[in-house]
Amino acid sequence: MGTPASKRLFKEYRALSSDPPDGITAGPVSEDDMFVWEALIQGPEGTPFEGGVFPAELKFPRDYPLAPPTMRFMVDVWHPNVVYPNGTVCISILHPPGDDPHHYEQASERWSPIQSVEKILISVMSMLAEPNDESPANVDAARMWREKRAEYETRVRDNVRKSLGL
Amino acid sequence: MDPSFDLPDSTDWISTSLPLFESLEAALRCEVCKEFYDGPVITACSHTFCSICIRRCITNDGKCPACKQAVQADKLLPNIAIREIVNRFQVTREDALELARRDKEELRVAENGGKKRKLDDTDLEDEDVGRQTRSRTTRSSQRSNGAREPRIEIPDSEDEGDAYVPEGLVPCPLCMKAMKEVQIWTHMETDCPKAQSSAPASRSRTKSKVMNPLQRRQKNESPAPARLPQLTYALLRETQLRDKLKELGIPASGKKDLLIRRHTEWLHLWNSNCDSDQVKTKRELLKELDVWERTQGGNARVVENKVMKKDYDGKAHADTHKSQFDELIANARRERAALKKKIAEDQIEGVQPTGTEGQNPEPPHPKPPAIVEAVNPYEGNDSALAIIREKVEEANRGGNILQSLEQHTSTSDLNTEAEPKVGHRAHSISSGIANPLGSPSRKMPMFTLPEDPVVDIDATSTH
């Protein structure tokens, strides 16, 4: 405690646990270390991810909230914006401002200190529903999503079923 | 960590009878640190942040966190109105929250056991509750309309802190007497019973450090500490920068990079202190710089590495370094196998002259059930089964199955073993030793030929 980063993380944890958004749970893995969190995200309804619960790990830098955390899914997620197979999530809100060599993203979409864990997780949830195939982290998944949607959805559903042990 | 559970947060209001206060309080908190504004300043783009927060952000990327427009530290102006609102709100927060909580609690009691418990105003209350259990918002909106105002009177309030303040009035921060806001200053200067006598006591009772207005006025008269200018680090050599740090009275150790970061942080602390109405002493600022030093500055690494983290993830470590571990294990295996082979070789060489090749008169005596067991994994694989059956027959006929099997082993060994140029026999023996798991050969005497071909079938089947 004491540093601005851990204090703010603790506040976010409190706020998230007393007023959690739908389908999202998150908190530090251990209360001794505010800088590593675990999150559970429900697959959004009406998408092939529906019914799945996706555990993810968030790691925060010491100068949070000046710099964004990194996020990694702990299960297989076949998605244009998730690195396969290591699960790292690549969306604009997780990219520090000014770090965009390809100019794919608007500056306003990127990380800013007024963003929060809650907003990240909500963005990730909507990312699951609506992939951004302009700057894919998983090119194969992006191509499959664009060209063979049925195959993509089958694969995603299979992964969901596998992750639930069915 | 435990005391921090008391950290006040805007979500405290959610579980009270005034859930809408959550958004009110959230509006009074800085979006960067989520605390009440501390020395709020307004940017050129009209966004307000704590002075320290926006200064750190500007150093980080030079942009407003809310709208991403370029902002400069020297264009920041104190936002006095917000500062006053936050200070007042913090004074009343605790009491208001307590009141709203207690109110909620009473409602809950009334809802759960309204029939059993005798409340002072039971008749009215029960009807009321029955009508209003549907939604929170309905209730709170009705409440603000004054529908249930009579109940708000607290019959047995222990102290004046819980005094009810009618709408449009504010409590005097000292004696809690309700009055119009414009009257407060004259009230406190002239007829407030607590203004002179017990002002310190009342201040210590409230958690926030809002000052007695009289004191604040005096404070404002003293000249505010001057803001420190930015340095152009690129133009300064390390020694010059070190001297600057010494002049400022802050630690001057470390490399230039660290000196720059430390100086920048000191500017954050010092200049934001200038924007605050509760000016901290230099000693306090130095203490804060020390905290920074330990967490993000020069001492950060050392502290982190000193102790192993409690939740140290051994599995993850094992996973990330798997290739290295595998290599080590493989090395160890190879070395051990080589060593054993060498020993076996030496001994065989010693024994060889009296070797009994072909002097093993008893024909191999395979055990049919064991073979069936070994065959099981190949169920359905007819060609494999046929081969095995053939061999079994051959063995039963007393042929030289051993030899053919040994050839099999040695060819399979050629692919895997490091030293293929060893005699057949040495191979069959050493492979028995090197692979002791579940192999019946383990119980065999070292220098007699294995009588049981099952072992060797095993070896060929792994091929």
Side-chain angles (χ1 to χ4, degrees):
Chain A
M1 216 58 207
T3 70
S6 57
K7 215 166 173 181
R8 160 142 173 187
L9 283 168
F10 193 85
K11 277 198 160 299
E12 290 199 47
Y13 174 40
R14 262 209 61 176
L16 269 173
S17 43
S18 54
D19 187 19
D22 279 347
I24 288 172
T25 324
V29 176
S30 131
E31 288 197 342
D32 298 321
D33 184 1
M34 276 287 140
F35 293 90
V36 182
W37 283 37
E38 194 174 39
L40 292 174
I41 300 179
Q42 254 175 38
E45 282 171 30
T47 71
F49 294 95
E50 181 173 354
V53 175
F54 304 93
E57 179 191 68
L58 289 139
K59 281 188 176 158
F60 296 87
R62 296 280 140 179
D63 59 349
Y64 182 81
L66 296 181
T70 57
M71 182 169 170
R72 201 164 73 80
F73 278 113
M74 312 300 278
V75 290
D76 277 359
V77 175
W78 184 251
H79 188 283
N81 305 113
V82 178
V83 177
Y84 190 83
N86 94 340
T88 306
V89 179
C90 287
I91 50 170
S92 51
I93 195 177
L94 289 173
H95 297 163
D99 173 34
D100 181 20
H102 310 298
H103 303 286
Y104 281 123
E105 302 151 358
Q106 310 249 311
S108 58
E109 292 169 351
R110 294 211 292 278
W111 176 255
S112 137
I114 69 169
Q115 304 291 11
S116 60
V117 179
E118 181 178 344
K119 284 188 195 152
I120 291 173
L121 296 178
I122 291 173
S123 303
V124 169
M125 225 172 160
S126 74
M127 170 205 84
L128 289 179
E130 292 164 14
N132 167 17
D133 69 337
E134 279 176 25
S135 57
N138 182 347
V139 180
D140 295 336
R143 194 175 301 136
M144 199 189 270
W145 180 75
R146 219 179 299 145
E147 293 160 10
K148 293 175 258 176
R149 188 64 63 88
E151 196 180 322
Y152 168 82
E153 294 189 349
T154 315
R155 173 147 190 186
V156 169
R157 282 204 196 91
D158 283 353
N159 275 347
V160 168
R161 229 170 280 134
K162 229 181 282 167
S163 74
L164 294 174
L166 297 176
Chain B
M1 190 55 80
D2 267 346
S4 53
F5 274 104
D6 297 335
L7 273 183
D9 188 76
S10 57
T11 51
D12 290 344
W13 293 98
I14 293 175
S15 57
T16 70
S17 59
L18 295 173
L20 293 178
F21 266 53
E22 197 247 325
S23 54
L24 168 65
E25 184 171 323
L28 296 176
R29 286 173 176 272
C30 169
E31 287 198 87
V32 173
C33 64
K34 314 281 181 200
E35 301 281 338
F36 281 115
Y37 285 117
D38 176 21
V41 291
I42 189 161
T43 63
C45 48
S46 303
H47 292 108
T48 299
F49 302 97
C50 297
S51 183
I52 185 92
C53 295
I54 185 67
R55 283 171 196 281
R56 283 186 177 133
C57 291
I58 290 173
T59 303
N60 189 46
D61 67 348
K63 289 187 188 133
C64 168
C67 66
K68 310 276 177 153
Q69 281 187 38
V71 282
Q72 288 167 313
D74 49 8
K75 298 268 168 66
L76 298 172
L77 292 172
N79 192 340
I80 295 172
I82 291 289
R83 183 167 82 197
E84 295 299 302
I85 294 170
V86 168
N87 285 346
R88 305 290 155 90
F89 184 81
Q90 281 183 279
V91 176
T92 55
R93 181 185 195 275
E94 208 180 332
D95 293 336
L97 190 63
E98 181 59 37
L99 197 63
R101 268 190 191 138
R102 205 180 304 166
D103 190 44
K104 177 83 174 187
E105 194 53 42
E106 276 173 37
L107 278 170
R108 198 173 296 140
V109 170
E111 278 172 15
N112 292 343
K115 291 271 147 53
K116 290 169 199 161
R117 289 206 183 191
K118 268 268 176 191
L119 292 172
D120 296 340
D121 42 1
T122 28
D123 291 347
L124 225 167
E125 187 65 24
D126 280 349
E127 271 181 35
D128 232 350
V129 168
R131 257 193 303 116
Q132 291 178 357
T133 34
R134 271 152 290 144
S135 82
R136 237 65 326 225
T137 27
T138 342
R139 185 157 2 87
S140 61
S141 65
Q142 282 191 5
R143 148 161 325 226
S144 60
N145 290 341
R148 303 170 59 225
E149 201 147 306
R151 264 200 66 245
I152 292 178
E153 288 178 60
I154 305 297
D156 56 348
S157 70
E158 326 73 334
D159 60 353
E160 62 279 76
D162 292 319
Y164 165 64
V165 181
E167 209 175 323
L169 300 187
V170 292
C172 163
L174 304 178
C175 67
M176 299 295 164
K177 191 177 157 195
M179 64 191 69
K180 284 195 177 142
E181 196 169 354
V182 285
Q183 296 172 327
I184 276 199
W185 292 99
T186 36
H187 160 77
M188 282 194 294
E189 277 167 34
T190 55
D191 59 343
C192 177
K194 295 208 170 184
Q196 276 83 28
S197 55
S198 60
S202 103
R203 220 173 51 234
S204 67
R205 180 151 25 87
T206 55
K207 261 189 185 164
S208 61
K209 289 184 229 150
V210 170
M211 251 171 266
N212 178 334
L214 294 173
Q215 289 179 339
R216 192 185 301 162
R217 210 170 267 182
Q218 283 165 4
K219 205 121 207 170
N220 285 351
E221 280 162 20
S222 71
R227 289 177 178 77
L228 293 170
Q230 285 277 345
L231 295 179
T232 320
Y233 299 116
L235 297 180
L236 288 169
R237 264 174 290 137
E238 190 174 318
T239 44
Q240 290 173 306
L241 185 56
R242 204 180 297 279
D243 289 343
K244 291 265 183 206
L245 264 63
K246 278 179 194 154
E247 260 173 53
L248 291 170
I250 58 177
S253 59
K255 289 244 159 64
K256 185 174 181 185
D257 168 59
L258 180 61
L259 294 179
I260 292 174
R261 290 200 295 134
R262 188 183 295 129
H263 184 259
T264 314
E265 180 64 13
W266 182 249
L267 287 190
H268 295 154
L269 292 169
W270 182 273
N271 289 346
S272 66
N273 191 34
C274 299
D275 292 324
S276 175
D277 59 339
Q278 298 149 38
V279 180
K280 291 174 196 153
T281 62
K282 188 172 177 184
R283 184 190 295 262
E284 287 172 285
L285 293 181
L286 280 170
K287 215 176 267 175
E288 285 177 26
L289 185 68
D290 186 51
V291 169
W292 173 86
E293 194 80 45
R294 274 185 280 119
T295 51
Q296 282 175 269
N299 297 336
R301 287 276 144 232
V302 188
V303 171
E304 267 175 24
N305 292 347
K306 229 182 246 171
V307 278
M308 199 184 215
K309 268 194 286 174
K310 220 181 199 174
D311 59 336
Y312 173 74
D313 194 349
K315 192 177 170 297
H317 183 82
D319 283 348
T320 50
H321 299 275
K322 190 173 186 307
S323 60
Q324 291 171 34
F325 285 129
D326 285 349
E327 204 176 312
L328 287 173
I329 291 169
N331 278 344
R333 284 227 173 98
R334 212 177 301 135
E335 266 170 40
R336 195 181 61 167
L339 193 69
K340 292 232 162 149
K341 205 177 286 171
K342 200 160 168 263
I343 293 170
E345 226 177 290
D346 290 350
Q347 285 173 341
I348 282 167
E349 264 163 22
V351 174
Q352 199 97 44
T354 60
T356 52
E357 174 85 58
Q359 289 189 12
N360 203 353
E362 307 102 309
H365 189 44
K367 295 170 193 161
I371 285 174
V372 168
E373 255 173 45
V375 159
N376 266 346
Y378 295 90
E379 223 158 24
N381 189 348
D382 284 330
S383 61
L385 284 177
I387 293 172
I388 291 166
R389 282 202 195 98
E390 208 178 285
K391 287 192 173 153
V392 170
E393 266 172 35
E394 208 175 285
N396 285 341
R397 268 186 272 115
N400 57 349
I401 177 146
L402 264 180
Q403 213 164 350
S404 71
L405 284 176
E406 265 176 25
Q407 267 157 16
H408 267 285
T409 347
S410 62
T411 47
S412 74
D413 283 349
L414 271 174
N415 299 331
T416 53
E417 297 287 88
E419 298 167 328
K421 305 225 163 157
V422 188
H424 287 178
R425 194 180 330 190
H427 259 292
S428 63
I429 290 168
S430 73
S431 72
I433 293 165
N435 180 21
L437 296 176
S439 156
S441 72
R442 202 180 181 188
K443 288 173 190 140
M444 291 181 183
M446 210 179 214
F447 301 115
T448 53
L449 281 172
E451 291 180 0
D452 195 344
V454 173
V455 187
D456 291 321
I457 283 169
D458 219 359
T460 48
S461 68
T462 58
H463 186 45

